[in-house]
Amino acid sequence: MFVPDRIIFENGTLDYEMGTRIFDHFKDKNGVEIIHSPSNKVKSYIEGDSIAQTYQNGKRTLVVSKKRIGAFQTCKPSADYMLPLVSGCMGQCEYCYLHKQLGDKPFVRVFVNLEDIYRKAKSYMDSPDRDVTVFEGSATSDPLCIEPYAKSLKNTILFFANEPRGRFRFVTKYADVDGLLDLPHNGKTEIRFSINTEYVRSSYEHCTAVIDARIHAAAKVMNAGYPVGFLIAPVFLYENWKHEYKDVIWKLKDALPENYPYPLFFEVITHRFTPKAKELIGDIFPDSTLPMNEEERTYKHGQFGYGKYTYKKEDMRDVKAFFQKELMEAFPECEIKYII
């Protein structure tokens, strides 16, 4: 659970049930500064002497906001649209693609006006263009780490449970699932867990749950009847990587319940980076050991005018053969959505 150093309440947020709940939860907590922002400009509260310091200050800050409701952003291929519940994340994953997207806003922001958000989502679900509309809750965040006091996911799961033409999904690196287990979700919410080797987690996924805790949480929500999938990402090729990823897969096999009513699915994504991301990571994490040697990668041009460095073709063939074999041996009925 995310316990911030400071919480910034923007104008009007204490008029909402979520705002007052968060305030009541933290008002007497030692070490948590409560700030009421009259201007709704929060950057001044987190600025540091360097990019790295601003990042660290932001990562220890929770901003309570109202969402301006406009058109939802599309979210292909994960879903049809993003569902804007939370932005930002307490995690400090060195490789995160959101470093650039969030720019000078590395804080966690939660939106209190859920009914407005649901009303907009409902307008998409009522469109005659599709039979079912899928919404992604973690495109720019990991909402589970604030769930014990925000209850955004609980309310959203209950909302979608009664929507015949809507589905909700999110992915997490945390394990705070106990508040979701007894909800009547009606199979409308899909929960994915991001897993990796413990070496990758301890080296690059700072302030996230250990892998065993994520696997245990996955078993809990499977027993609660949720559709569940796993994101193995980002895959790094380092000494002994095959042995360690195999251990993770079979640890997962041993921990998950049998006779699960839904087919498990897996998404496997290898590490990639852009030149801009490498530069920004160096500013935020000056001591980073992320493997970003361009000579060991292949540069691929992208459709939006910039490219990325990926593993070379021969390495990718090895990765695909390895995960295809190990996953199908451990989970013969699973679906491997992609290995990229």
Side-chain angles (χ1 to χ4, degrees):
M1 181 178 72
F2 178 39
V3 179
D5 287 353
R6 66 192 64 81
I7 305 177
I8 302 170
F9 290 88
E10 294 185 343
N11 280 332
T13 55
L14 289 176
D15 296 334
Y16 290 81
E17 189 270 339
M18 185 197 298
T20 57
R21 185 183 340 107
I22 294 174
F23 179 80
D24 290 342
H25 183 87
F26 284 105
K27 65 181 179 181
D28 297 322
K29 290 278 196 304
N30 290 331
V32 179
E33 181 184 10
I34 302 295
I35 300 169
H36 299 277
S37 175
S39 64
N40 289 357
K41 295 181 179 179
V42 303
K43 184 178 178 181
S44 61
Y45 298 106
I46 68 168
E47 285 182 323
D49 296 331
S50 64
I51 293 175
Q53 185 60 54
T54 299
Y55 175 86
Q56 290 297 327
N57 289 343
K59 284 291 186 176
R60 296 192 292 269
T61 302
L62 174 66
V63 180
V64 183
S65 299
K66 288 195 302 182
K67 178 67 177 175
R68 294 181 180 177
I69 305 299
F72 285 178
Q73 289 183 290
T74 58
C75 194
K76 300 294 186 182
S78 174
D80 296 303
Y81 298 100
M82 299 182 191
L83 192 72
L85 304 175
V86 183
S87 68
C89 173
M90 67 171 278
Q92 299 184 32
C93 298
E94 295 184 16
Y95 52 74
C96 181
Y97 69 93
L98 292 179
H99 292 324
K100 178 181 178 182
Q101 184 171 339
L102 295 177
D104 60 353
K105 302 176 182 178
F107 44 80
V108 180
R109 187 192 293 272
V110 61
F111 300 110
V112 296
N113 54 327
L114 292 178
E115 292 303 320
D116 297 333
I117 295 169
Y118 299 155
R119 204 159 23 245
K120 185 65 176 181
K122 179 73 171 168
S123 72
Y124 288 106
M125 286 184 275
D126 290 342
S127 169
D129 294 341
R130 57 174 61 88
D131 293 330
V132 173
T133 304
V134 182
F135 296 86
E136 172 62 64
S138 52
T140 61
S141 69
D142 190 324
L144 190 61
C145 62
I146 64 171
E147 179 61 18
Y149 48 83
K151 310 297 184 187
S152 296
L153 291 174
K154 175 183 176 180
N155 285 295
T156 302
I157 290 168
L158 292 175
F159 168 73
F160 277 98
N162 297 311
E163 291 295 335
R165 299 179 63 196
R167 300 291 185 274
F168 177 58
R169 67 197 309 252
F170 68 92
V171 63
T172 186
K173 291 186 173 102
Y174 296 96
D176 303 295
V177 299
D178 287 355
L180 310 180
L181 300 180
D182 295 328
L183 301 180
H185 54 79
N186 294 334
K188 301 292 184 65
T189 292
E190 176 187 276
I191 304 177
R192 292 117 67 213
F193 289 86
S194 176
I195 59 173
N196 218 307
T197 67
E198 187 55 34
Y199 166 78
V200 171
R201 189 211 64 84
S202 62
S203 299
Y204 308 124
E205 296 183 355
H206 314 297
C207 303
T208 62
V210 298
I211 303 302
D212 284 353
R214 301 182 206 179
I215 293 175
H216 183 56
K220 285 183 177 181
V221 297
M222 289 173 69
N223 281 322
Y226 284 92
V228 171
F230 294 92
L231 184 65
I232 305 178
V235 172
F236 288 92
L237 308 190
Y238 57 92
E239 185 178 0
N240 216 28
W241 67 271
K242 288 184 179 179
H243 176 75
E244 294 191 14
Y245 280 105
K246 181 175 181 176
D247 279 353
V248 172
I249 292 169
W250 286 92
K251 180 179 290 187
L252 196 64
K253 170 68 173 177
D254 292 340
L256 299 185
E258 298 180 359
N259 302 317
Y260 180 61
Y262 300 103
L264 280 180
F265 67 88
F266 290 88
E267 302 162 86
V268 183
I269 305 173
T270 54
H271 177 243
R272 63 277 317 281
F273 63 92
T274 66
K276 180 63 177 177
K278 180 177 179 179
E279 178 183 347
L280 187 55
I281 290 166
D283 290 335
I284 297 173
F285 301 101
D287 299 321
S288 176
T289 61
L290 269 176
M292 294 186 290
N293 183 350
E294 291 91 341
E295 295 180 358
E296 297 176 354
R297 304 292 186 106
T298 293
Y299 186 77
K300 289 188 175 182
H301 293 278
Q303 58 178 319
F304 301 110
Y306 62 88
K308 66 186 74 171
Y309 286 96
T310 65
Y311 282 111
K312 294 182 177 181
K313 288 183 178 180
E314 55 269 28
D315 291 325
M316 287 304 303
R317 284 195 293 268
D318 197 18
V319 167
K320 290 179 180 180
F322 168 79
F323 280 102
Q324 184 75 32
K325 174 179 179 294
E326 295 299 331
L327 287 172
M328 294 310 299
E329 285 187 3
F331 303 98
E333 304 300 322
C334 78
E335 176 189 358
I336 302 174
K337 289 184 175 291
Y338 49 76
I339 303 172
I340 58 174

mmCIF file of all heavy atoms in Angstrom, residues 103-145:
data_model
loop_
_atom_site.group_PDB
_atom_site.id
_atom_site.type_symbol
_atom_site.label_atom_id
_atom_site.label_comp_id
_atom_site.label_asym_id
_atom_site.label_seq_id
_atom_site.Cartn_x
_atom_site.Cartn_y
_atom_site.Cartn_z
ATOM 1 N N GLY A 103 6.523 13.201 -17.699
ATOM 2 C CA GLY A 103 7.367 14.380 -17.689
ATOM 3 C C GLY A 103 7.660 14.866 -16.294
ATOM 4 O O GLY A 103 8.220 14.135 -15.471
ATOM 5 N N ASP A 104 7.272 16.099 -15.998
ATOM 6 C CA ASP A 104 7.558 16.665 -14.683
ATOM 7 C C ASP A 104 6.406 16.420 -13.709
ATOM 8 O O ASP A 104 6.245 17.145 -12.740
ATOM 9 C CB ASP A 104 7.847 18.163 -14.803
ATOM 10 C CG ASP A 104 6.676 18.950 -15.390
ATOM 11 O OD1 ASP A 104 5.687 18.320 -15.820
ATOM 12 O OD2 ASP A 104 6.767 20.183 -15.418
ATOM 13 N N LYS A 105 5.582 15.406 -13.958
ATOM 14 C CA LYS A 105 4.463 15.061 -13.077
ATOM 15 C C LYS A 105 4.580 13.598 -12.630
ATOM 16 O O LYS A 105 3.749 12.757 -12.980
ATOM 17 C CB LYS A 105 3.131 15.286 -13.788
ATOM 18 C CG LYS A 105 2.918 16.719 -14.271
ATOM 19 C CD LYS A 105 1.619 16.839 -15.049
ATOM 20 C CE LYS A 105 1.429 18.249 -15.584
ATOM 21 N NZ LYS A 105 0.199 18.379 -16.390
ATOM 22 N N PRO A 106 5.603 13.279 -11.868
ATOM 23 C CA PRO A 106 5.800 11.870 -11.494
ATOM 24 C C PRO A 106 4.964 11.424 -10.306
ATOM 25 O O PRO A 106 5.136 10.309 -9.818
ATOM 26 C CB PRO A 106 7.296 11.837 -11.138
ATOM 27 C CG PRO A 106 7.565 13.203 -10.600
ATOM 28 C CD PRO A 106 6.694 14.140 -11.392
ATOM 29 N N PHE A 107 4.060 12.286 -9.822
ATOM 30 C CA PHE A 107 3.272 11.953 -8.644
ATOM 31 C C PHE A 107 2.095 11.041 -9.002
ATOM 32 O O PHE A 107 1.739 10.859 -10.167
ATOM 33 C CB PHE A 107 2.741 13.226 -7.972
ATOM 34 C CG PHE A 107 2.194 14.245 -8.938
ATOM 35 C CD1 PHE A 107 0.924 14.117 -9.477
ATOM 36 C CD2 PHE A 107 2.965 15.338 -9.320
ATOM 37 C CE1 PHE A 107 0.424 15.054 -10.364
ATOM 38 C CE2 PHE A 107 2.472 16.284 -10.209
ATOM 39 C CZ PHE A 107 1.198 16.140 -10.732
ATOM 40 N N VAL A 108 1.481 10.479 -7.969
ATOM 41 C CA VAL A 108 0.271 9.676 -8.124
ATOM 42 C C VAL A 108 -0.930 10.623 -8.008
ATOM 43 O O VAL A 108 -1.036 11.389 -7.052
ATOM 44 C CB VAL A 108 0.186 8.577 -7.052
ATOM 45 C CG1 VAL A 108 -1.082 7.743 -7.242
ATOM 46 C CG2 VAL A 108 1.421 7.694 -7.080
ATOM 47 N N ARG A 109 -1.824 10.569 -8.976
ATOM 48 C CA ARG A 109 -3.024 11.411 -8.950
ATOM 49 C C ARG A 109 -4.251 10.502 -9.019
ATOM 50 O O ARG A 109 -4.366 9.670 -9.922
ATOM 51 C CB ARG A 109 -3.030 12.372 -10.140
ATOM 52 C CG ARG A 109 -4.163 13.397 -10.080
ATOM 53 C CD ARG A 109 -4.320 14.144 -11.392
ATOM 54 N NE ARG A 109 -3.224 15.010 -11.725
ATOM 55 C CZ ARG A 109 -3.119 16.289 -11.337
ATOM 56 N NH1 ARG A 109 -4.049 16.828 -10.567
ATOM 57 N NH2 ARG A 109 -2.079 17.016 -11.713
ATOM 58 N N VAL A 110 -5.159 10.674 -8.067
ATOM 59 C CA VAL A 110 -6.393 9.885 -8.040
ATOM 60 C C VAL A 110 -7.569 10.819 -8.260
ATOM 61 O O VAL A 110 -7.597 11.941 -7.745
ATOM 62 C CB VAL A 110 -6.532 9.103 -6.714
ATOM 63 C CG1 VAL A 110 -6.580 10.029 -5.505
ATOM 64 C CG2 VAL A 110 -7.754 8.196 -6.746
ATOM 65 N N PHE A 111 -8.542 10.370 -9.019
ATOM 66 C CA PHE A 111 -9.699 11.189 -9.372
ATOM 67 C C PHE A 111 -10.908 10.781 -8.526
ATOM 68 O O PHE A 111 -11.263 9.600 -8.466
ATOM 69 C CB PHE A 111 -10.003 11.056 -10.858
ATOM 70 C CG PHE A 111 -8.861 11.508 -11.734
ATOM 71 C CD1 PHE A 111 -8.131 10.601 -12.477
ATOM 72 C CD2 PHE A 111 -8.499 12.850 -11.769
ATOM 73 C CE1 PHE A 111 -7.075 11.015 -13.263
ATOM 74 C CE2 PHE A 111 -7.436 13.275 -12.555
ATOM 75 C CZ PHE A 111 -6.723 12.364 -13.303
ATOM 76 N N VAL A 112 -11.531 11.796 -7.903
ATOM 77 C CA VAL A 112 -12.598 11.518 -6.943
ATOM 78 C C VAL A 112 -13.988 11.455 -7.576
ATOM 79 O O VAL A 112 -14.904 10.860 -6.997
ATOM 80 C CB VAL A 112 -12.614 12.581 -5.821
ATOM 81 C CG1 VAL A 112 -11.341 12.538 -5.006
ATOM 82 C CG2 VAL A 112 -12.841 13.986 -6.396
ATOM 83 N N ASN A 113 -14.169 12.058 -8.736
ATOM 84 C CA ASN A 113 -15.505 12.142 -9.345
ATOM 85 C C ASN A 113 -15.794 10.921 -10.220
ATOM 86 O O ASN A 113 -15.959 11.006 -11.436
ATOM 87 C CB ASN A 113 -15.666 13.444 -10.131
ATOM 88 C CG ASN A 113 -14.579 13.670 -11.160
ATOM 89 O OD1 ASN A 113 -13.425 13.280 -10.959
ATOM 90 N ND2 ASN A 113 -14.919 14.313 -12.265
ATOM 91 N N LEU A 114 -15.881 9.777 -9.557
ATOM 92 C CA LEU A 114 -16.062 8.516 -10.274
ATOM 93 C C LEU A 114 -17.371 8.472 -11.054
ATOM 94 O O LEU A 114 -17.418 7.911 -12.160
ATOM 95 C CB LEU A 114 -15.990 7.344 -9.299
ATOM 96 C CG LEU A 114 -14.624 7.066 -8.664
ATOM 97 C CD1 LEU A 114 -14.731 5.906 -7.686
ATOM 98 C CD2 LEU A 114 -13.575 6.768 -9.723
ATOM 99 N N GLU A 115 -18.436 9.037 -10.512
ATOM 100 C CA GLU A 115 -19.724 8.968 -11.201
ATOM 101 C C GLU A 115 -19.666 9.676 -12.553
ATOM 102 O O GLU A 115 -20.281 9.214 -13.531
ATOM 103 C CB GLU A 115 -20.829 9.565 -10.332
ATOM 104 C CG GLU A 115 -21.136 8.754 -9.080
ATOM 105 C CD GLU A 115 -21.521 7.316 -9.395
ATOM 106 O OE1 GLU A 115 -22.254 7.104 -10.388
ATOM 107 O OE2 GLU A 115 -21.095 6.411 -8.656
ATOM 108 N N ASP A 116 -18.925 10.777 -12.628
ATOM 109 C CA ASP A 116 -18.759 11.463 -13.911
ATOM 110 C C ASP A 116 -18.001 10.580 -14.904
ATOM 111 O O ASP A 116 -18.330 10.526 -16.099
ATOM 112 C CB ASP A 116 -17.999 12.777 -13.722
ATOM 113 C CG ASP A 116 -18.745 13.767 -12.854
ATOM 114 O OD1 ASP A 116 -19.988 13.704 -12.818
ATOM 115 O OD2 ASP A 116 -18.076 14.598 -12.210
ATOM 116 N N ILE A 117 -16.985 9.898 -14.398
ATOM 117 C CA ILE A 117 -16.177 9.006 -15.243
ATOM 118 C C ILE A 117 -17.025 7.845 -15.741
ATOM 119 O O ILE A 117 -16.993 7.474 -16.930
ATOM 120 C CB ILE A 117 -14.941 8.506 -14.460
ATOM 121 C CG1 ILE A 117 -14.015 9.686 -14.142
ATOM 122 C CG2 ILE A 117 -14.199 7.421 -15.241
ATOM 123 C CD1 ILE A 117 -12.913 9.357 -13.158
ATOM 124 N N TYR A 118 -17.836 7.273 -14.853
ATOM 125 C CA TYR A 118 -18.689 6.148 -15.251
ATOM 126 C C TYR A 118 -19.756 6.595 -16.257
ATOM 127 O O TYR A 118 -20.104 5.846 -17.176
ATOM 128 C CB TYR A 118 -19.369 5.539 -14.028
ATOM 129 C CG TYR A 118 -18.424 4.973 -12.993
ATOM 130 C CD1 TYR A 118 -18.807 4.873 -11.655
ATOM 131 C CD2 TYR A 118 -17.146 4.539 -13.339
ATOM 132 C CE1 TYR A 118 -17.956 4.348 -10.705
ATOM 133 C CE2 TYR A 118 -16.290 4.025 -12.388
ATOM 134 C CZ TYR A 118 -16.687 3.941 -11.071
ATOM 135 O OH TYR A 118 -15.845 3.431 -10.120
ATOM 136 N N ARG A 119 -20.266 7.798 -16.071
ATOM 137 C CA ARG A 119 -21.278 8.301 -16.999
ATOM 138 C C ARG A 119 -20.700 8.404 -18.410
ATOM 139 O O ARG A 119 -21.355 8.051 -19.394
ATOM 140 C CB ARG A 119 -21.778 9.660 -16.496
ATOM 141 C CG ARG A 119 -23.163 10.012 -16.977
ATOM 142 C CD ARG A 119 -23.887 11.053 -16.143
ATOM 143 N NE ARG A 119 -23.015 11.916 -15.381
ATOM 144 C CZ ARG A 119 -22.988 11.938 -14.043
ATOM 145 N NH1 ARG A 119 -23.746 11.130 -13.345
ATOM 146 N NH2 ARG A 119 -22.182 12.769 -13.410
ATOM 147 N N LYS A 120 -19.469 8.880 -18.504
ATOM 148 C CA LYS A 120 -18.818 8.973 -19.809
ATOM 149 C C LYS A 120 -18.556 7.575 -20.378
ATOM 150 O O LYS A 120 -18.775 7.329 -21.573
ATOM 151 C CB LYS A 120 -17.505 9.741 -19.691
ATOM 152 C CG LYS A 120 -16.799 9.989 -21.017
ATOM 153 C CD LYS A 120 -17.611 10.894 -21.923
ATOM 154 C CE LYS A 120 -16.858 11.217 -23.201
ATOM 155 N NZ LYS A 120 -17.633 12.113 -24.085
ATOM 156 N N ALA A 121 -18.109 6.658 -19.534
ATOM 157 C CA ALA A 121 -17.890 5.279 -19.988
ATOM 158 C C ALA A 121 -19.184 4.670 -20.506
ATOM 159 O O ALA A 121 -19.200 3.954 -21.520
ATOM 160 C CB ALA A 121 -17.319 4.436 -18.852
ATOM 161 N N LYS A 122 -20.269 4.961 -19.817
ATOM 162 C CA LYS A 122 -21.573 4.434 -20.225
ATOM 163 C C LYS A 122 -21.961 4.923 -21.619
ATOM 164 O O LYS A 122 -22.549 4.177 -22.416
ATOM 165 C CB LYS A 122 -22.622 4.878 -19.203
ATOM 166 C CG LYS A 122 -24.041 4.430 -19.490
ATOM 167 C CD LYS A 122 -24.238 2.965 -19.233
ATOM 168 C CE LYS A 122 -25.718 2.611 -19.316
ATOM 169 N NZ LYS A 122 -25.922 1.142 -19.362
ATOM 170 N N SER A 123 -21.583 6.165 -21.939
ATOM 171 C CA SER A 123 -21.911 6.685 -23.269
ATOM 172 C C SER A 123 -21.198 5.904 -24.362
ATOM 173 O O SER A 123 -21.734 5.719 -25.461
ATOM 174 C CB SER A 123 -21.550 8.175 -23.360
ATOM 175 O OG SER A 123 -20.139 8.376 -23.402
ATOM 176 N N TYR A 124 -19.988 5.419 -24.089
ATOM 177 C CA TYR A 124 -19.284 4.588 -25.066
ATOM 178 C C TYR A 124 -19.932 3.205 -25.165
ATOM 179 O O TYR A 124 -20.061 2.637 -26.255
ATOM 180 C CB TYR A 124 -17.811 4.450 -24.680
ATOM 181 C CG TYR A 124 -17.000 5.704 -24.885
ATOM 182 C CD1 TYR A 124 -16.590 6.474 -23.811
ATOM 183 C CD2 TYR A 124 -16.630 6.115 -26.167
ATOM 184 C CE1 TYR A 124 -15.836 7.625 -23.995
ATOM 185 C CE2 TYR A 124 -15.877 7.270 -26.365
ATOM 186 C CZ TYR A 124 -15.483 8.016 -25.275
ATOM 187 O OH TYR A 124 -14.741 9.161 -25.458
ATOM 188 N N MET A 125 -20.322 2.657 -24.016
ATOM 189 C CA MET A 125 -20.928 1.329 -24.030
ATOM 190 C C MET A 125 -22.277 1.330 -24.746
ATOM 191 O O MET A 125 -22.672 0.325 -25.322
ATOM 192 C CB MET A 125 -21.101 0.822 -22.596
ATOM 193 C CG MET A 125 -19.813 0.398 -21.944
ATOM 194 S SD MET A 125 -20.062 -0.312 -20.294
ATOM 195 C CE MET A 125 -20.099 1.172 -19.296
ATOM 196 N N ASP A 126 -22.966 2.458 -24.713
ATOM 197 C CA ASP A 126 -24.279 2.549 -25.363
ATOM 198 C C ASP A 126 -24.188 2.806 -26.862
ATOM 199 O O ASP A 126 -25.210 2.815 -27.552
ATOM 200 C CB ASP A 126 -25.094 3.672 -24.710
ATOM 201 C CG ASP A 126 -25.530 3.326 -23.300
ATOM 202 O OD1 ASP A 126 -25.501 2.131 -22.960
ATOM 203 O OD2 ASP A 126 -25.878 4.242 -22.534
ATOM 204 N N SER A 127 -22.975 2.994 -27.356
ATOM 205 C CA SER A 127 -22.799 3.239 -28.791
ATOM 206 C C SER A 127 -23.147 1.981 -29.589
ATOM 207 O O SER A 127 -22.814 0.860 -29.182
ATOM 208 C CB SER A 127 -21.358 3.647 -29.080
ATOM 209 O OG SER A 127 -21.098 3.639 -30.468
ATOM 210 N N PRO A 128 -23.810 2.128 -30.744
ATOM 211 C CA PRO A 128 -24.157 0.955 -31.557
ATOM 212 C C PRO A 128 -22.975 0.405 -32.350
ATOM 213 O O PRO A 128 -23.122 -0.599 -33.049
ATOM 214 C CB PRO A 128 -25.235 1.506 -32.497
ATOM 215 C CG PRO A 128 -24.899 2.952 -32.644
ATOM 216 C CD PRO A 128 -24.360 3.391 -31.316
ATOM 217 N N ASP A 129 -21.797 1.027 -32.229
ATOM 218 C CA ASP A 129 -20.650 0.638 -33.051
ATOM 219 C C ASP A 129 -20.062 -0.711 -32.662
ATOM 220 O O ASP A 129 -19.394 -1.354 -33.470
ATOM 221 C CB ASP A 129 -19.551 1.704 -32.966
ATOM 222 C CG ASP A 129 -19.985 3.024 -33.577
ATOM 223 O OD1 ASP A 129 -20.956 3.016 -34.363
ATOM 224 O OD2 ASP A 129 -19.359 4.058 -33.263
ATOM 225 N N ARG A 130 -20.268 -1.144 -31.404
ATOM 226 C CA ARG A 130 -19.696 -2.422 -30.972
ATOM 227 C C ARG A 130 -20.616 -3.073 -29.954
ATOM 228 O O ARG A 130 -21.371 -2.394 -29.258
ATOM 229 C CB ARG A 130 -18.287 -2.227 -30.393
ATOM 230 C CG ARG A 130 -18.219 -1.261 -29.220
ATOM 231 C CD ARG A 130 -16.822 -1.226 -28.617
ATOM 232 N NE ARG A 130 -15.828 -0.789 -29.562
ATOM 233 C CZ ARG A 130 -15.499 0.487 -29.758
ATOM 234 N NH1 ARG A 130 -16.134 1.431 -29.085
ATOM 235 N NH2 ARG A 130 -14.568 0.825 -30.618
ATOM 236 N N ASP A 131 -20.505 -4.386 -29.862
ATOM 237 C CA ASP A 131 -21.332 -5.124 -28.909
ATOM 238 C C ASP A 131 -20.813 -4.979 -27.480
ATOM 239 O O ASP A 131 -21.583 -4.886 -26.535
ATOM 240 C CB ASP A 131 -21.382 -6.610 -29.288
ATOM 241 C CG ASP A 131 -22.118 -6.839 -30.599
ATOM 242 O OD1 ASP A 131 -23.026 -6.042 -30.910
ATOM 243 O OD2 ASP A 131 -21.770 -7.796 -31.313
ATOM 244 N N VAL A 132 -19.467 -5.035 -27.333
ATOM 245 C CA VAL A 132 -18.835 -4.931 -26.011
ATOM 246 C C VAL A 132 -17.714 -3.913 -26.098
ATOM 247 O O VAL A 132 -16.930 -3.916 -27.053
ATOM 248 C CB VAL A 132 -18.282 -6.296 -25.544
ATOM 249 C CG1 VAL A 132 -17.487 -6.136 -24.252
ATOM 250 C CG2 VAL A 132 -19.417 -7.291 -25.333
ATOM 251 N N THR A 133 -17.610 -3.036 -25.101
ATOM 252 C CA THR A 133 -16.547 -2.040 -25.034
ATOM 253 C C THR A 133 -15.653 -2.368 -23.849
ATOM 254 O O THR A 133 -16.135 -2.566 -22.729
ATOM 255 C CB THR A 133 -17.115 -0.622 -24.877
ATOM 256 O OG1 THR A 133 -18.027 -0.366 -25.948
ATOM 257 C CG2 THR A 133 -16.002 0.415 -24.915
ATOM 258 N N VAL A 134 -14.354 -2.437 -24.100
ATOM 259 C CA VAL A 134 -13.380 -2.817 -23.079
ATOM 260 C C VAL A 134 -12.611 -1.573 -22.626
ATOM 261 O O VAL A 134 -12.127 -0.792 -23.459
ATOM 262 C CB VAL A 134 -12.401 -3.882 -23.610
ATOM 263 C CG1 VAL A 134 -11.428 -4.300 -22.507
ATOM 264 C CG2 VAL A 134 -13.160 -5.087 -24.139
ATOM 265 N N PHE A 135 -12.468 -1.422 -21.301
ATOM 266 C CA PHE A 135 -11.782 -0.274 -20.718
ATOM 267 C C PHE A 135 -10.559 -0.744 -19.931
ATOM 268 O O PHE A 135 -10.643 -1.709 -19.166
ATOM 269 C CB PHE A 135 -12.712 0.509 -19.794
ATOM 270 C CG PHE A 135 -13.894 1.123 -20.506
ATOM 271 C CD1 PHE A 135 -15.049 0.387 -20.721
ATOM 272 C CD2 PHE A 135 -13.842 2.429 -20.965
ATOM 273 C CE1 PHE A 135 -16.140 0.948 -21.372
ATOM 274 C CE2 PHE A 135 -14.930 3.000 -21.620
ATOM 275 C CZ PHE A 135 -16.074 2.255 -21.831
ATOM 276 N N GLU A 136 -9.460 -0.037 -20.115
ATOM 277 C CA GLU A 136 -8.200 -0.350 -19.436
ATOM 278 C C GLU A 136 -7.991 0.628 -18.287
ATOM 279 O O GLU A 136 -8.030 1.845 -18.475
ATOM 280 C CB GLU A 136 -7.040 -0.256 -20.435
ATOM 281 C CG GLU A 136 -5.648 -0.372 -19.817
ATOM 282 C CD GLU A 136 -5.412 -1.705 -19.151
ATOM 283 O OE1 GLU A 136 -5.422 -2.742 -19.849
ATOM 284 O OE2 GLU A 136 -5.217 -1.712 -17.910
ATOM 285 N N GLY A 137 -7.759 0.098 -17.075
ATOM 286 C CA GLY A 137 -7.609 0.942 -15.902
ATOM 287 C C GLY A 137 -6.185 1.229 -15.490
ATOM 288 O O GLY A 137 -5.971 1.919 -14.480
ATOM 289 N N SER A 138 -5.208 0.723 -16.242
ATOM 290 C CA SER A 138 -3.818 0.901 -15.807
ATOM 291 C C SER A 138 -2.898 1.321 -16.941
ATOM 292 O O SER A 138 -1.713 0.994 -16.939
ATOM 293 C CB SER A 138 -3.301 -0.389 -15.163
ATOM 294 O OG SER A 138 -3.525 -1.499 -16.017
ATOM 295 N N ALA A 139 -3.424 2.056 -17.904
ATOM 296 C CA ALA A 139 -2.587 2.482 -19.032
ATOM 297 C C ALA A 139 -1.531 3.480 -18.592
ATOM 298 O O ALA A 139 -0.429 3.514 -19.145
ATOM 299 C CB ALA A 139 -3.461 3.095 -20.128
ATOM 300 N N THR A 140 -1.842 4.314 -17.597
ATOM 301 C CA THR A 140 -0.882 5.313 -17.108
ATOM 302 C C THR A 140 -0.698 5.218 -15.597
ATOM 303 O O THR A 140 -0.306 6.195 -14.955
ATOM 304 C CB THR A 140 -1.343 6.740 -17.471
ATOM 305 O OG1 THR A 140 -2.616 6.996 -16.860
ATOM 306 C CG2 THR A 140 -1.452 6.914 -18.969
ATOM 307 N N SER A 141 -0.969 4.061 -15.024
ATOM 308 C CA SER A 141 -0.909 3.951 -13.569
ATOM 309 C C SER A 141 -0.912 2.488 -13.152
ATOM 310 O O SER A 141 -1.053 1.583 -13.973
ATOM 311 C CB SER A 141 -2.125 4.642 -12.940
ATOM 312 O OG SER A 141 -3.310 3.914 -13.239
ATOM 313 N N ASP A 142 -0.774 2.283 -11.840
ATOM 314 C CA ASP A 142 -1.049 0.993 -11.208
ATOM 315 C C ASP A 142 -1.988 1.286 -10.048
ATOM 316 O O ASP A 142 -1.550 1.644 -8.952
ATOM 317 C CB ASP A 142 0.236 0.335 -10.714
ATOM 318 C CG ASP A 142 0.020 -1.103 -10.275
ATOM 319 O OD1 ASP A 142 -1.057 -1.386 -9.701
ATOM 320 O OD2 ASP A 142 0.913 -1.941 -10.492
ATOM 321 N N PRO A 143 -3.304 1.211 -10.267
ATOM 322 C CA PRO A 143 -4.257 1.680 -9.253
ATOM 323 C C PRO A 143 -4.340 0.829 -8.001
ATOM 324 O O PRO A 143 -4.900 1.277 -6.992
ATOM 325 C CB PRO A 143 -5.595 1.671 -10.007
ATOM 326 C CG PRO A 143 -5.423 0.648 -11.091
ATOM 327 C CD PRO A 143 -3.977 0.749 -11.501
ATOM 328 N N LEU A 144 -3.780 -0.383 -8.020
ATOM 329 C CA LEU A 144 -3.963 -1.267 -6.872
ATOM 330 C C LEU A 144 -3.228 -0.763 -5.628
ATOM 331 O O LEU A 144 -3.660 -1.017 -4.506
ATOM 332 C CB LEU A 144 -3.495 -2.683 -7.226
ATOM 333 C CG LEU A 144 -3.848 -3.778 -6.219
ATOM 334 C CD1 LEU A 144 -5.355 -3.916 -6.054
ATOM 335 C CD2 LEU A 144 -3.245 -5.118 -6.636
ATOM 336 N N CYS A 145 -2.140 -0.026 -5.800
ATOM 337 C CA CYS A 145 -1.335 0.361 -4.639
ATOM 338 C C CYS A 145 -2.037 1.388 -3.748
ATOM 339 O O CYS A 145 -1.646 1.571 -2.598
ATOM 340 C CB CYS A 145 0.036 0.874 -5.075
ATOM 341 S SG CYS A 145 -0.002 2.347 -6.113
#
